[in-house]
Amino acid sequence: LAKKYRDKRVKHIRFRQMENREITGTTRYASVNAHKGMEPSRRDDLESIGYVLVYFCKGSLPWQGLQARNDQERYKLITEKKMSISVERLCHELPNEFRDYLNYCKRLQFEEEPDYDFLRGLFKQVALKLEIEYDGVFDWNLKETETKRPDNARPNVS
């Protein structure tokens, strides 16, 4: 889920601090600011994407599997764990660009426009380092193309 950051007049939404505000979406990926009850904006969407990417790479996040008596206690434990773990520790054993991405997102101000080119560039750097071809073709596109072929044959690339 993403939060609209512009109102009907195309102005940035106003900052609000809300007590006992419930998070919209999955608590696992919510930004720290969302846990603190702050109105979410672009920075929070980007921080959430960062947690998803770390999850994809590591297979879990440190605040998963916390034992609690009820949802309210579990939410509190996740909030405390997420606030206590450093970005460096969270991104340990990942390319430094993951750390740079999350630190950048966490430094953004509520209304600040993110430098999307910089953020995309971080992951293009990772792809270059890992010798991953960044051609815009994704596995799910290949599979879709393959299923449309009558003989299910892969194209000849030679």
Side-chain angles (χ1 to χ4, degrees):
L1 299 175
K3 171 73 176 179
K4 286 187 179 187
Y5 69 93
R6 291 186 179 162
D7 63 17
K8 293 175 185 170
R9 297 178 312 248
V10 193
K11 288 187 163 190
H12 198 288
I13 57 174
R14 290 191 335 230
F15 175 82
R16 293 184 301 169
Q17 176 75 41
M18 297 167 273
E19 290 296 319
N20 300 321
R21 182 179 190 280
E22 290 204 18
I23 288 178
T24 301
T26 307
T27 307
R28 177 186 301 169
Y29 306 116
S31 71
V32 169
N33 290 325
H35 281 279
K36 291 179 179 178
M38 296 179 189
E39 180 76 38
S41 72
R42 293 174 283 188
R43 66 180 180 184
D44 303 288
D45 291 340
L46 291 169
E47 184 178 336
S48 293
I49 290 168
Y51 294 140
V52 170
L53 294 173
V54 170
Y55 173 78
F56 284 164
C57 291
K58 291 189 155 194
S60 67
L61 293 165
W63 43 85
Q64 280 182 251
L66 299 174
Q67 299 302 311
R69 291 177 293 217
N70 54 46
D71 287 344
Q72 187 176 5
E73 184 180 299
R74 186 176 62 81
Y75 176 83
K76 183 178 183 243
L77 290 172
I78 290 170
T79 302
E80 290 169 356
K81 183 74 170 180
K82 199 177 287 185
M83 290 174 61
S84 71
I85 192 162
S86 70
V87 170
E88 288 70 23
R89 186 164 160 224
L90 177 65
C91 297
H92 179 69
E93 296 181 342
L94 293 177
N96 291 336
E97 288 81 359
F98 285 83
R99 180 201 64 219
D100 296 345
Y101 175 91
L102 276 168
N103 279 328
Y104 176 87
C105 295
K106 288 172 169 279
R107 283 193 303 268
L108 286 168
Q109 298 301 304
F110 179 75
E111 290 187 21
E112 188 175 350
E113 181 177 356
D115 184 344
Y116 296 109
D117 288 334
F118 167 74
L119 295 172
R120 279 189 295 270
L122 289 172
F123 293 105
K124 286 180 181 180
Q125 288 173 15
V126 172
L128 281 172
K129 281 183 193 176
L130 299 176
E131 298 180 358
I132 297 169
E133 185 179 353
Y134 192 79
D135 59 5
V137 178
F138 302 100
D139 290 352
W140 53 86
N141 296 124
L142 291 174
K143 297 206 182 298
E144 183 179 292
T145 305
E146 288 172 7
T147 57
K148 289 181 182 175
R149 282 194 169 72
D151 61 356
N152 255 0
R154 292 190 56 96
N156 186 354
V157 223
S158 51

